[in-house]
Each structure stands twice: as structure tokens, then as C-alpha cells.
């Protein structure tokens, strides 16, 4: 059986490489590996999400499904006071921690977790996710439920999702949970949603 990027322990042989990307105006070098999401470089959806993000400096940020860390690192560049990066994939978690440290994002930590289970007792100002669409709608909707529970009052969940991969049903689910859901931007079929929890 071939494993997915959302496997706990990828069996693919290591194939580490370094990619250079620009995140919020800063050039960073990121180490990637086989068995993690978008190993050849920053995927388009994450790029659109990173460019759309807006939150106050000093916010506490949670990055769910962090991969090798580009979204969490971008949050650090934007001035987040603390960044927790979660991924079910242990190889991704190791890379995210390594990449955050190598790029001077000392306020970031990476942990292995099935969605938000490892932080279910914590709360955050901002939760960001490029959700694991291929894991299925039920998994993505569970992520939304858990994110709502882990947000501080007036906190926001930011997600990217393609129209053809379920953006309308994702927005409908978000509308049942959050006080306000807005489509911040759309680009080549990708939708960025910001879902705000009430006070």
C-alpha cells in the first residue's frame, strides 16, 4: 500500500532537498523530503493562503497540517508571538521544527497530532490550515469542529480549499459553526475563507 502525506510514518525512502521560497516578502530556505505534502516546493493553495493572511502581531497561531512548515514560518515572519505546528506525519513534524529553527522562527514548535487532538485543551487567536482534502470530507469537517473549540473569542480560522474539492460544502459547514464566514479571496479555483468566532 502506498502511503499518503497524511500517513503517520511514511515508508518512502528519504529524499531530502532544499527549496527556496519567498514568504511574506522574506526569502527562506526549506528542507523537504519524500513522503510529505508538496515536497517539490510551495503548493499554489498554500501560496494563496499565505498571501491572504491578515492578523495582528502578537497573535497566538496554530497551523494544522503544517507539512514542512511554510505556513507556520510565514506566521512567524508576520509577527505571531507563538506558533504551534501540527501534523499527523512524523517526518513532516521533524522538518517543520528544523525549518522554523533554521529560519529564525524561535517562537515555533512542531508536534505530531491527529488534527487538533494534541492541543484540545489549548486556545489560540488564529488557526490556519490547508486541510487534508484527500483524507475526506468527514476529516475536514472534524477539523473545523475542533478548530472552533480551540479558538479564543473573536479568533479566526483561515483555510484554503479548491472549489472542485468541496469549497461550497466546506463553507456551508463553517456557516453552521462560526458567527461570520467571509471569502477573503479566490484565485485559480482556490478559495480562502476566514471564519470568525463570536465574542
Amino acid at each position: 500500500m502506498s502511503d499518503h502525506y497524511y500517513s503517520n510514518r511514511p515508508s518512502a525512502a528519504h529524499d531530502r532537498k532544499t527549496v527556496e521560497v519567498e514568504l511574506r516578502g522574506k526569502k527562506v530556505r526549506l528542507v523537504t523530503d519524500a513522503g510529505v505534502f508538496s515536497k517539490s516546493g510551495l503548493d499554489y493553495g498554500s501560496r494563496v493562503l499565505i498571501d491572504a493572511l491578515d492578523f495582528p502581531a502578537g497573535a497566538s497561531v496554530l497551523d494544522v497540517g503544517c507539512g514542512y512548515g511554510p505556513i507556520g514560518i510565514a506566521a512567524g515572519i508576520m509577527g505571531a508571538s507563538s506558533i504551534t505546528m501540527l501534523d499527523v506525519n512524523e517526518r513532516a513534524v521533524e522538518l517543520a521544527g528544523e525549518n522554523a529553527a533554521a529560519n529564525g522562527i524561535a517562537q515555533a514548535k512542531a508536534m505530531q497530532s491527529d488534527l487538533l487532538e494534541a492541543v484540545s485543551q489549548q486556545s489560540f487567536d488564529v488557526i490556519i490550515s490547508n486541510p487534508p482534502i484527500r483524507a475526506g470530507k468527514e476529516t475536514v469537517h472534524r477539523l473545523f469542529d475542533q478548530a472552533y473549540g480551540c479558538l479564543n473569542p473573536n479568533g479566526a480560522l483561515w483555510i484554503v480549499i479548491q472549489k472542485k474539492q468541496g469549497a461550497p460544502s466546506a463553507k456551508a459547514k463553517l456557516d453552521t459553526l462560526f458567527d461570520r464566514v467571509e471569502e477573503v479571496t479566490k484565485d485559480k479555483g482556490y478559495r480562502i475563507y476566514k471564519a470568525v468566532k463570536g465574542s
Side-chain angles (χ1 to χ4, degrees), residues 134-148:
R134 288 185 202 159
K137 186 200 279 192
E138 187 185 322
T139 299
V140 173
H141 287 190
R142 197 167 88 229
L143 187 159
F144 297 165
D145 285 323
Q146 292 178 0
Y148 183 86

Side-chain angles (χ1 to χ4, degrees), residues 138-171:
E138 187 185 322
T139 299
V140 173
H141 287 190
R142 197 167 88 229
L143 187 159
F144 297 165
D145 285 323
Q146 292 178 0
Y148 183 86
C150 284
L151 274 172
N152 288 323
N154 301 311
L157 168 67
W158 290 77
I159 66 152
V160 57
I161 193 160
Q162 283 193 73
K163 186 177 182 189
K164 68 181 183 195
Q165 289 185 325
S169 72
K171 182 172 186 304

Side-chain angles (χ1 to χ4, degrees), residues 83-176:
I83 303 141
T84 304
M85 301 186 288
L86 304 181
D87 205 293
V88 73
N89 179 331
E90 66 178 17
R91 193 175 288 184
V93 171
E94 282 173 27
L95 289 168
E98 182 183 326
N99 285 328
N103 287 287
I105 310 297
Q107 71 274 41
K109 65 174 188 244
M111 300 161 59
Q112 191 169 11
S113 178
D114 180 12
L115 298 181
L116 283 74
E117 280 174 17
V119 296
S120 61
Q121 304 306 308
Q122 299 176 46
S123 59
F124 304 87
D125 300 319
V126 181
I127 299 178
I128 310 166
S129 185
N130 182 345
I133 300 300
R134 288 185 202 159
K137 186 200 279 192
E138 187 185 322
T139 299
V140 173
H141 287 190
R142 197 167 88 229
L143 187 159
F144 297 165
D145 285 323
Q146 292 178 0
Y148 183 86
C150 284
L151 274 172
N152 288 323
N154 301 311
L157 168 67
W158 290 77
I159 66 152
V160 57
I161 193 160
Q162 283 193 73
K163 186 177 182 189
K164 68 181 183 195
Q165 289 185 325
S169 72
K171 182 172 186 304
K173 172 67 175 176
L174 291 169
D175 281 331
T176 68

